[in-house]
Amino acid sequence: MAILNADGAEAAPVPHTSPTVLAGRAFGAIPPPALVLVGILSVQVGSAVAKQLFGEVGSFGTVALRLFFAAAVLMLFWRPSLRMDREAWTVVVGYGLVLGVMNLCFYLALERLPLGIAVTTEFLGPLAVALGGSRRWLDVLWALLAGSGVALLVEGRGGLDLVGLLFALAAGTCWGLYILLGAALGRRTTEGNGLAVGMAVAALVAVPFGVVDSGTALVQPWVLLAGLGVALLSSVVPYSLELEALRKIPPHVFGILMSLEPAVAALIGLVVLGESLHWSQWAAVLCVMAASAGATRGARPEA
């Protein structure tokens, strides 16, 4: 039966709008820099929430919950096809393995270090990638500045755990590999299919560690709810926001904005966890941030 409007004419049908279309329109109304900043804030708040779970399920259990729920959400959303050629599967599996190990190492570092210090140390990985292929003399300055930041961390570390720093460096190494594999993932897969399957591989890496370490503590209702929150804050929301931002701004601008992450982590650690840093540690954070922004700004735009 036709629907008539007030003047007796047949009303136009109301188009059905899917949630993904509505989300796309909402994201489209937000400036790209704001998307990146909200994504950074989401990641660090998620890390702060995760750290508060350590007392109940430990770092392994927290990683298991994060990656399990992130994989579940992404697999349900994208419903990826498993029909991929050998090269694509190699990239996806490598991406997932690195993602899983990166998260395990980072949460082991977070268990031993303040959030701002763990993120700053881990950030050396992508900075090394940015500087790795450079032949510019100016990038030597950025490398020296980053090295000065590391020296300030080590010299003024006080009660900082050396094992925690090593885990953060291992996580940073994995982050660098993650960036390189992520680029290959974008070439070999479409939309979010590779990300979803890669996240599932990462979950397969982390979940056995969490089950062995935490056992039945993982299935407490409030723990499961908190784990879902960590997955949304640390993975699903920021990845979605960053993907949308990268559609609208050049990668080097995105990289400069991402250089704010160590400072945001330190501030979230202070406000949410009560982790205050020494002045030398703040100086180290600023050195790494400046080096990252400088190296990214000087990178050649992609063709």
Side-chain angles (χ1 to χ4, degrees):
M1 179 179 177
I3 300 175
L4 303 180
N5 57 25
D7 59 7
E10 185 175 337
V14 178
H16 175 71
T17 306
S18 68
T20 54
V21 172
L22 290 174
R25 291 176 181 173
F27 286 159
I30 302 174
L35 291 175
V36 177
L37 293 176
V38 172
I40 291 172
L41 185 64
S42 179
V43 167
Q44 300 312 327
V45 170
S47 294
V49 174
K51 192 162 186 173
Q52 293 174 327
L53 270 177
F54 287 172
E56 189 68 30
V57 295
S59 58
F60 284 161
T62 305
V63 175
L65 289 169
R66 170 185 171 176
L67 294 181
F68 173 80
F69 281 116
V73 170
L74 290 170
M75 290 291 285
L76 287 172
F77 184 83
W78 289 109
R79 300 184 182 275
S81 171
L82 300 182
R83 291 185 176 181
M84 293 182 285
D85 58 36
R86 181 177 298 179
E87 290 79 5
W89 268 113
T90 300
V91 173
V92 168
V93 171
Y95 176 87
L97 290 174
V98 167
L99 182 61
V101 175
M102 178 178 72
N103 278 274
L104 288 169
C105 289
F106 177 69
Y107 277 41
L108 285 168
L110 195 58
E111 196 172 31
R112 295 165 170 82
L113 299 173
L115 176 59
I117 301 302
V119 172
T120 300
T121 306
E122 185 193 28
F123 213 76
L124 296 172
L127 177 58
V129 172
L131 294 172
S134 173
R135 296 181 180 178
R136 300 183 314 137
W137 283 106
L138 184 59
D139 285 333
V140 175
L141 173 63
W142 303 130
L144 290 174
L145 187 59
S148 300
V150 174
L152 284 169
L153 278 181
V154 174
E155 181 181 352
R157 68 185 181 90
L160 290 184
D161 189 299
L162 181 59
V163 174
L165 288 172
L166 293 176
F167 275 126
L169 286 172
T173 302
C174 289
W175 194 356
L177 293 172
Y178 167 85
I179 291 171
L180 299 175
L181 286 168
L185 190 74
R187 294 191 298 268
R188 294 287 183 182
T189 62
T190 58
E191 297 181 318
N193 296 325
L195 171 62
V197 179
M199 189 69 73
V201 173
L204 290 175
V205 172
V207 167
F209 287 92
V211 170
V212 170
D213 189 53
S214 305
T216 57
L218 288 173
V219 295
Q220 298 177 79
W222 77 268
V223 170
L224 291 173
L225 185 61
L228 176 60
V230 169
L232 293 174
L233 287 168
S234 298
S235 298
V236 177
V237 170
Y239 291 166
S240 301
L241 294 177
E242 289 168 8
L243 181 63
E244 184 65 25
L246 278 167
R247 291 193 178 107
K248 301 176 180 178
I249 56 177
H252 69 281
V253 176
F254 177 82
I256 291 171
L257 292 170
M258 288 297 292
S259 300
L260 295 171
E261 191 153 7
V264 174
L267 289 172
I268 292 296
L270 177 63
V271 173
V272 179
L273 301 173
E275 298 173 343
S276 59
L277 302 185
H278 188 264
W279 71 266
S280 63
Q281 294 170 336
W282 275 108
V285 170
L286 294 175
C287 283
V288 173
M289 284 175 56
S292 175
T296 304
R297 187 175 185 275
R300 293 181 179 179
E302 294 181 6

